[in-house]
């Protein structure tokens, strides 16, 4: 192993370059998360097209949604290894190409009426490709942004990527709402459902174009010039007690993502339609309101974490979610659109303190040599276990118990889990990123 600098070096990237790189990262994340999120928004239409006549059609769609998450760790391992070996920029171009192709392919799939059981089988296969890609995206994009960000602004700069991810969900929500309202159920199930997936083509082209025009990070370049890159970053991470502990933290700190990102946003339109008897457009518009709220709140949380530290913001968000989770879901459950908007928006603002800060905290847990691999594995295993399964779990529990408040209980439990995990973290918000 080559000798590398023992002391962390401050980032000297000029603000103009940092802004350009942030735009590139955000455009790519927007495309990735739109492609991934539209599957959940179109669950009702997909159920009718690919599982016609089944009493459990929506559950089967969310099973396909969940299965893809178990391929995220594989994407994290492979893309992380290559990202730590050959560079972040190359892998970020690859993952956006893969997910754009997979999403567009869903848009041209024959229906169950056309090719029978092969149709849902192909749907699941393409979801697997999406999951693999997203597994390589999150840790790669966040590492890329953090390693380019000016000192003292890592929380703010990486929070912009989370705004992009929620803007992608907002776009998917509005597209789904507009098309459902304009075309009606019959035309949506006939051909309209394809259009949101085919939008992946121009989004992907834009993301690939921008990402190909940016250079790799100063941290990675510095290590490469010193011949300090790890030959097997994941093996190196597992060989270190410090890195093993950090990977465990990366597994449990994101628990709140399960009740926040995957229930409050991805699952909420279906939940409001099937369980609370809102109209489809009403449910989508409630979700859209909460997405606007979280996009406004996220940069404030990122900037706050730069000032007072990541732990305090994350812990505060977890405590607040444990307190407001059940009351907010009760507001949503009243069936009144105005009260539902209030409940969803309050939860969104509270969740912003988690989602706007979690990725930079995880980035800072690891040195550049193993960051993409180790952070990616821990985070994506967490997403598979507690995130992607959440919509399926909520659908199952509500069906078995008849209690529509299951998402509220899940919000409280996952918030408390995150709080416990965060208490074990050493905050590195005010220190330079480590290379080794």
């Amino acid at each position: 192993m080559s000798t590398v600098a023992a002391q962390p070096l401050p980032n000297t990237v000029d603000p103009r370059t940092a802004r350009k790189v942030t735009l590139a990262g955000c455009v790519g994340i927007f495309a990735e998360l739109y492609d991934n999120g539209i599957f959940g928004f179109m669950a009702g239409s997909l159920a009718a097209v690919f599982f016609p006549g089944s009493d459990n059609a929506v559950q089967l769609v969310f099973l396909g949604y969940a299965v893809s998450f178990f391929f995220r760790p594989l994407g994290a391992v492979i893309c992380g290894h290559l990202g730590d070996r050959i560079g972040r920029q190359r892998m970020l171009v690859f993952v956006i190409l893969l997910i754009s192709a997979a999403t567009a392919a869903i848009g041209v799939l024959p229906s169950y009426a056309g090719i029978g059981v092969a149709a849902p089988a192909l749907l699941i296969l393409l979801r697997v490709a999406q999951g693999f890609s997203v597994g390589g995206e999150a840790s790669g994009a966040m590492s890329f942004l953090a390693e380019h960000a000016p000192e003292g602004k890592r929380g703010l700069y990486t929070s912009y990527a989370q705004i992009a991810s929620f803007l992608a969900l907002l776009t998917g929500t509005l597209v789904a709402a507009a098309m459902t309202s304009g075309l009606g159920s019959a035309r949506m199930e006939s051909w309209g459902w394809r259009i949101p997936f085919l939008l992946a083509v121009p989004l992907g082209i834009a993301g690939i174009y921008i990402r190909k025009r940016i250079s790799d990070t100063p941290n990675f370049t510095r290590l490469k010039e010193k011949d300090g890159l790890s030959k097997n970053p994941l093996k190196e991470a597992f060989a270190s007690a410090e890195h093993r502990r950090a990977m465990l933290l990366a597994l449990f700190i994101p628990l709140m993502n399960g009740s926040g990102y995957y229930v409050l946003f991805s699952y909420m339109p279906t939940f409001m339609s099937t369980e609370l008897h809102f109209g489809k457009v009403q449910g989508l518009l409630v979700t859209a309101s909460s997405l606007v709220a979280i996009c406004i709140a996220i940069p404030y949380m990122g900037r706050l974490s730069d000032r007072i530290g990541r732990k305090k913001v994350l812990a505060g968000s977890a405590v607040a979610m444990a307190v407001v989770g059940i009351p907010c879901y009760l507001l949503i459950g009243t069936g009144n659109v105005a009260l539902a908007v209030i409940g969803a928006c309050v939860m969104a603002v509270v969740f912003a303190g988690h989602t706007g800060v979690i990725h930079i905290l995880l980035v800072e847990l690891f040195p550049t040599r193993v960051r993409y691999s180790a952070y990616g594995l821990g985070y994506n295993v967490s997403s598979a276990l507690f995130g992607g399964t959440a919509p399926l779990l909520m659908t199952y529990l509500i069906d078995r118990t008849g209690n529509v408040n299951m998402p509220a209980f899940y919000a409280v439990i996952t918030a408390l889990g995150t709080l416990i995990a965060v208490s074990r973290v050493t905050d590195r918000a005010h220190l330079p990123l480590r290379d080794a």
Side-chain angles (χ1 to χ4, degrees):
M1 182 186 303
S2 300
T3 303
V4 293
Q7 294 299 319
L9 296 176
N11 200 329
T12 57
V13 176
D14 66 275
R16 184 174 180 274
T17 300
R19 287 193 294 269
K20 178 182 175 181
V21 167
T22 301
L23 174 62
C26 290
V27 169
I29 287 172
F30 180 94
E32 285 266 354
L33 272 295
Y34 171 85
D35 292 351
N36 185 60
I38 198 65
F39 192 94
F41 293 133
M42 300 302 295
S45 296
L46 293 175
V49 172
F50 290 96
F51 302 99
S54 172
D55 293 335
N56 300 312
V58 173
Q59 287 190 35
L60 290 171
V61 170
F62 280 122
L63 176 62
Y65 185 84
V67 165
S68 72
F69 279 75
F70 288 94
F71 287 84
R72 282 195 179 190
L74 179 63
V77 168
I78 294 175
C79 296
H81 177 85
L82 294 173
D84 282 331
R85 291 289 300 135
I86 67 174
R88 283 81 162 104
Q89 185 261 354
R90 293 184 186 180
M91 292 314 303
L92 291 178
V93 171
F94 167 74
V95 292
I96 195 172
L97 174 63
L98 176 61
I99 198 170
S100 298
T103 305
I106 291 176
V108 297
L109 276 181
S111 67
Y112 185 93
I115 60 172
V117 71
L122 288 170
L123 179 69
I124 303 271
L125 182 63
L126 292 171
R127 272 297 296 167
V128 166
Q130 287 183 317
F132 180 95
S133 173
V134 174
E137 170 70 25
S139 55
M142 293 300 179
S143 296
F144 191 80
L145 291 176
E147 290 171 10
H148 271 291
E151 287 301 320
K153 295 184 178 181
R154 289 197 299 265
L156 176 62
Y157 273 66
T158 53
S159 75
Y160 293 146
Q162 286 301 89
I163 297 174
S165 74
F166 285 99
L167 284 176
L169 290 181
L170 176 60
T171 301
T173 299
L174 295 177
V175 167
M179 293 193 64
T180 301
S181 177
L183 296 179
S185 296
R187 280 182 287 185
M188 277 295 291
E189 293 170 12
S190 174
W191 55 268
W193 65 272
R194 299 181 183 277
I195 296 175
F197 292 96
L198 294 175
L199 289 176
V201 175
L203 286 175
I205 291 172
I208 292 167
Y209 174 78
I210 292 174
R211 283 186 169 180
K212 283 179 72 69
R213 294 170 64 86
I214 52 178
S215 58
D216 225 314
T217 72
N219 300 68
F220 180 85
T221 302
R222 185 165 58 239
L223 266 186
K224 185 177 180 180
E225 289 173 350
K226 294 179 179 179
D227 195 26
L229 299 176
S230 174
K231 291 182 171 56
N232 192 330
L234 202 56
K235 181 180 179 181
E236 182 177 322
F238 275 107
S240 163
E242 178 190 357
H243 296 340
R244 289 197 300 272
R245 181 177 182 275
M247 283 190 284
L248 277 176
L249 290 172
L251 175 65
F252 290 107
I253 291 173
L255 276 170
M256 257 178 73
N257 271 355
S259 59
Y261 195 95
Y262 297 106
V263 173
L264 181 59
F265 297 108
S266 293
Y267 173 63
M268 184 60 72
T270 302
F271 171 68
M272 295 183 72
S273 174
T274 59
E275 305 297 340
L276 302 180
H277 308 296
F278 281 80
K280 286 186 177 181
V281 174
Q282 288 179 317
L284 288 167
L285 290 179
V286 170
T287 302
S289 299
S290 65
L291 286 166
V292 171
I294 199 169
C295 287
I296 294 171
I298 281 173
Y300 291 99
M301 298 300 180
R303 185 182 292 114
L304 182 63
S305 78
D306 283 329
R307 294 180 58 191
I308 68 172
R310 322 299 184 203
K311 284 183 67 171
K312 291 179 181 179
V313 178
L314 281 164
S317 174
V319 170
M321 184 64 79
V323 171
V324 307
I326 291 176
C328 285
Y329 267 105
L330 290 176
L331 285 176
I332 296 170
T334 61
N336 181 285
V337 173
L339 292 178
V341 166
I342 293 172
C345 287
V346 169
M347 290 188 74
V349 171
V350 168
F351 183 61
H354 177 87
T355 195
V357 177
I358 181 175
H359 286 286
I360 186 55
L361 180 140
L362 298 182
V363 164
E364 292 166 347
L365 287 179
F366 302 98
T368 304
R369 282 175 61 88
V370 301
R371 180 172 294 127
Y372 199 155
S373 301
Y375 158 29
L377 180 62
Y379 176 74
N380 283 289
V381 169
S382 179
S383 294
L385 294 177
F386 310 116
T389 58
L392 178 64
L393 178 63
M394 295 302 99
T395 304
Y396 172 78
L397 290 176
I398 291 171
D399 182 61
R400 297 290 291 181
T401 66
N403 188 338
V404 296
N405 294 316
M406 284 297 169
F409 304 147
Y410 193 61
V412 173
I413 292 169
T414 55
L416 293 175
T418 286
L419 181 62
I420 293 170
V422 166
S423 70
R424 311 299 299 171
V425 169
T426 298
D427 201 321
R428 296 185 58 87
H430 302 129
L431 298 172
L433 292 177
R434 296 171 292 164
D435 283 342

